[in-house]
């Protein structure tokens, strides 16, 4: 049995000193004397790159929220034995539940407001034409408000690639999303539904910037839809939508890649809790004899007026964040 004089060299040390001696002995034995330096360097890198990682991760939460919505729809659809008997209104409860969840997200994260909701009819058809942000989350919010406040579900036109995303089909069906064609859009409007189209589509979403330029190219199809269905057009723009989410679309190589394969492979970053205000303009009425190019130009001018009136250009993320913290009321707008 060892006495005190035969114990380890640290026997006469206090407990903290013993632990320090053990750590030094272990690092010397393993060859990790520089571990503390490595950890300090790693911590420095983490401090520098964490904000950069966060702005690219936040948009994924929107995708996660969409998949959670889809999961809810699957659960909802599997729990009723009366689906066939009540197929006409079966999904109404699911739509209202998801609308409440998305509206809650809009209110909490962006202090979301809609100005001009009275421009959208309580019944009857209308075509909503909106500016497309990097992620059209403002349109999701508007759809939710329409369901909750007016009891109306707005039909939507989306790009083909959306229908190829795994698991999205049920969500698109429940919320009446289609990729066209023109005849189907006209059919929906003639049936008395609301319909929304963003003529800029994916190109405007990925390659627009904080200058908020309208990028429709030569597209006039939406105007022909309104003419064929004889319905008014309601322009829509959301303030700060480009400050909430942005893209790396300014990189020429990514633009060339998109033009070649038509896939939205441009990285999106952001998810910043900036202020969102959606503005709905005065309806552009149907007028017999108006051509599609003429109506397209009228709509472009109306949307541009909304942008000029409600958006400070160039957009600025910091200013939009301060706007989120301000106490401006609807009356001040």
């Amino acid at each position: 049995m060892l006495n005190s004089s035969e114990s380890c060299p640290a026997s006469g040390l206090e407990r903290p000193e013993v632990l320090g001696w053990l750590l030094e002995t272990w690092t010397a034995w393993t060859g990790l004397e520089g571990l503390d330096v490595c950890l300090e360097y790693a911590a420095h890198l983490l401090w520098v790159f964490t904000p950069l990682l966060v702005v690219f991760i936040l948009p994924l939460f929107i995708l996660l929220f969409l998949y959670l919505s889809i999961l809810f729809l699957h659960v909802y659809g599997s729990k009723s034995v009366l689906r066939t008997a009540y197929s006409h209104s079966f999904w109404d409860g699911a739509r209202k539940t998801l609308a409440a969840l998305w509206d809650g997200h809009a209110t909490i994260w962006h202090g979301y407001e809609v100005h001009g909701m009275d421009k959208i009819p309580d019944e009857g058809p209308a075509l909503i034409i909106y500016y497309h942000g990097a992620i059209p989350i403002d349109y999701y919010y508007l759809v939710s408000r329409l369901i909750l406040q007016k009891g109306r579900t707005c039909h939507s036109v989306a790009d083909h690639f959306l229908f190829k995303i795994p698991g999205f089909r049920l969500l698109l069906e429940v919320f009446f999303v289609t990729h066209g064609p023109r005849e189907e859009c006209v059919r929906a409007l003639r049936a008395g539904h609301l319909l929304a189209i963003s003529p800029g589509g994916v190109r405007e979403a990925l390659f627009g910037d904080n200058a908020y330029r309208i990028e429709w190219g030569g597209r006039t199809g939406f105007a022909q839809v309104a003419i064929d269905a004889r319905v008014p057009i309601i322009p829509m723009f959301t303030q700060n939508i480009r400050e909430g989410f942005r893209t790396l679309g300014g990189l020429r190589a990514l633009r060339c890649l998109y033009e070649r394969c038509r896939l939205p492979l441009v990285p999106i970053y952001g998810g910043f809790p900036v202020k969102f205000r959606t503005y709905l303009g005065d309806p552009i009425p149907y007028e017999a004899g108006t051509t599609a190019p003429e109506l397209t130009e009228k709509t472009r001018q109306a949307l541009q007026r909304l942008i000029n009136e409600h958006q400070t250009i160039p957009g600025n993320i910091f200013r939009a964040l301060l706007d989120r913290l301000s106490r401006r009321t609807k009356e001040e707008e």
Side-chain angles (χ1 to χ4, degrees), residues 66-235:
L66 287 169
Y67 271 109
L68 288 176
S69 300
I70 295 168
L71 176 62
F72 169 78
L73 291 175
H74 279 289
V75 173
Y76 182 90
S78 66
K79 293 299 181 182
S80 176
V81 296
L82 300 177
R83 179 172 184 174
T84 303
Y86 297 97
S87 59
H88 178 69
S89 60
F90 175 76
W91 292 111
D92 284 352
R95 279 190 287 265
K96 290 178 181 177
T97 301
L98 288 179
L101 292 173
W102 279 91
D103 190 61
H105 182 278
T107 301
I108 294 171
W109 197 247
H110 293 291
Y112 182 64
E113 300 174 7
V114 178
H115 298 259
M117 183 68 87
D118 58 305
K119 307 289 179 63
I120 297 180
D122 293 332
E123 57 183 24
L127 178 59
I128 299 173
I129 299 298
Y130 63 96
Y131 175 85
H132 203 307
I135 295 178
I137 192 169
D138 57 322
Y139 175 65
Y140 305 159
Y141 293 160
L142 179 68
V143 168
S144 300
R145 287 283 170 94
L146 286 172
I147 292 173
L148 296 175
Q149 293 186 9
K150 290 181 176 285
R152 305 201 66 182
T153 302
C154 186
H155 293 223
S156 311
V157 176
D159 194 270
H160 287 78
F161 89 90
L162 204 60
F163 295 83
K164 300 177 182 179
I165 299 178
F168 264 48
R169 181 169 299 277
L170 178 60
L171 183 68
L172 300 177
E173 290 178 355
V174 170
F175 283 89
F176 305 108
V177 181
T178 177
H179 57 74
R182 183 184 304 169
E183 294 76 15
E184 187 172 344
C185 296
V186 172
R187 191 179 307 117
L189 289 168
R190 287 179 176 173
H193 299 296
L194 297 172
L195 177 70
I197 300 175
S198 175
V202 175
R203 183 174 283 103
E204 187 172 76
L206 298 182
F207 305 109
D209 54 28
N210 61 347
Y212 287 88
R213 287 181 289 267
I214 297 174
E215 299 188 19
W216 290 356
R219 294 181 177 178
T220 61
F222 74 91
Q224 192 60 55
V225 166
I227 292 171
D228 293 345
R230 301 187 177 186
V231 299
I233 291 177
I234 301 173

